[in-house]
Each structure stands twice: as C-alpha cells, then as structure tokens.
Amino acid sequence: GMFGIYTSFGKNFTASLGLTYASVLFGTYSGGAIASRVLIRPMTRLLLERNLIPAGFVGVAFTFLLLAVARQYTGLAMAGICYGLGHGVLYPALFVRFLDMQRPSEIGRATILYQGLFSAGWGFLPYLGGYYIQFTSFQSLFSLIAGLCGVGMLLHLRAERIYTARHRPERGAA
C-alpha cells in the first residue's frame, strides 16, 4: 500500500508544493530502484540477508519522513532515491523470505497471496489516504505511512520469532 501512496499522491503532492515537475520524484525513484539492483549483493554481504527487510522498512519510512518535510526539488529528489533503494530492497527481500517460510507444496499459493495482497494494498491504502488527506494534509499522511513502516517491521520480527520457534531443531536429535 505504501507504494500506492507514493505513486498515487506523488504528482498531487508536488503540485501542492507549487512545483511543476513530479518527474523529479519519479525519476529519482527509478534511479534508486536501479541502484538497489546493483547494490543488493554488496548490501547482502554487509547486512546479512535477514537484515535486508528491516533495512528496507527503514529506507521506506525515511522516504516518507523526507516527503513530510520536503518543500523543494532537492527534498523530492532525496525522497525518490531513498524510496527506490528502500522499496527495491524491501519488496524482493520480503517476498523471498515469505516464500522461504512456506512448505514446498505451498509456494504457488503463497506467491499468489503475496502478489494479490500487494495489489490490494496498492489500491486500498491510497483510497483510504485520499479520505485522510481531505481532513488533514499530505505531511500528516506521509508521517502516518512512516509509522506504518514501523508496524510492518514489528509484524515481520514477530513472524520471524514464530517461524524460528516452530522450526527449532529438537534437543537430542542427531
């Protein structure tokens, strides 16, 4: 859903700042996304694979905090690069980890579930965000979305703990 907020409201937010070129926000996102593909291997060696998801959440949260305070093209460009990097790491890392947690016979259904929920969030969160903006501001929405990243990270950490507890090797087993 955060991706939907970013793409759905980027142009309107840019216009609300009195700026003409939303392409700064979207072009730098593309640059950040490409950079994430180039940097994902070194990042994996540096952060270890299990830390990519929290790093991605931090990148996406930082993006929305940057957007909440952005007033000029420089802020939009920095937010775009951060979102490209954060989303470019978070989406595939979360997807791979989600699949890793499934039994081999569940991989197909899990893939459909992940993609379907991504699409549902992409449509539903901007829908709710539109109502929210009517009563508040873009800055308030972006701050709320940054908080949602924190909730997502907590849910991820909880899922990891549950998975680890369920798949702990039994003591005394050789």
Side-chain angles (χ1 to χ4, degrees), residues 124-147:
F124 188 65
L125 202 57
Y127 178 76
L128 291 177
Y131 282 114
Y132 186 79
I133 287 174
Q134 287 180 337
F135 302 106
T136 62
S137 64
F138 283 109
Q139 290 77 13
S140 176
L141 175 65
F142 294 151
S143 298
L144 186 67
I145 296 301

Side-chain angles (χ1 to χ4, degrees), residues 18-120:
L19 302 175
T20 307
Y21 302 107
S23 58
V24 170
L25 184 63
F26 297 117
T28 54
Y29 160 74
S30 296
I34 291 167
S36 76
R37 299 277 70 61
V38 172
L39 298 173
I40 200 151
R41 276 196 190 273
M43 288 173 62
T44 302
R45 282 193 296 271
L46 182 66
L47 295 174
L48 301 176
E49 194 172 308
R50 70 176 183 266
N51 296 325
L52 284 177
I53 294 168
F57 271 122
V58 167
V60 171
F62 186 65
T63 296
F64 284 102
L65 292 175
L66 279 173
L67 284 173
V69 299
R71 300 290 174 260
Q72 298 296 326
Y73 288 118
T74 305
L76 292 180
M78 289 176 19
I81 289 169
C82 284
Y83 192 74
L85 286 168
H87 183 258
V89 167
L90 179 62
Y91 182 84
L94 196 57
F95 184 46
V96 166
R97 187 63 188 133
F98 182 70
L99 293 180
D100 285 345
M101 291 180 169
Q102 311 306 312
R103 289 183 288 231
S105 63
E106 297 172 338
I107 298 294
R109 286 185 296 206
T111 300
I112 292 167
L113 177 65
Y114 187 87
Q115 297 296 336
L117 288 174
F118 179 82
S119 297

Side-chain angles (χ1 to χ4, degrees), residues 97 101 154-165:
R97 187 63 188 133
M101 291 180 169
L154 291 174
L155 289 171
H156 163 69
L157 294 173
R158 179 169 161 71
E160 286 290 342
R161 272 190 235 104
I162 291 169
Y163 180 78
T164 301

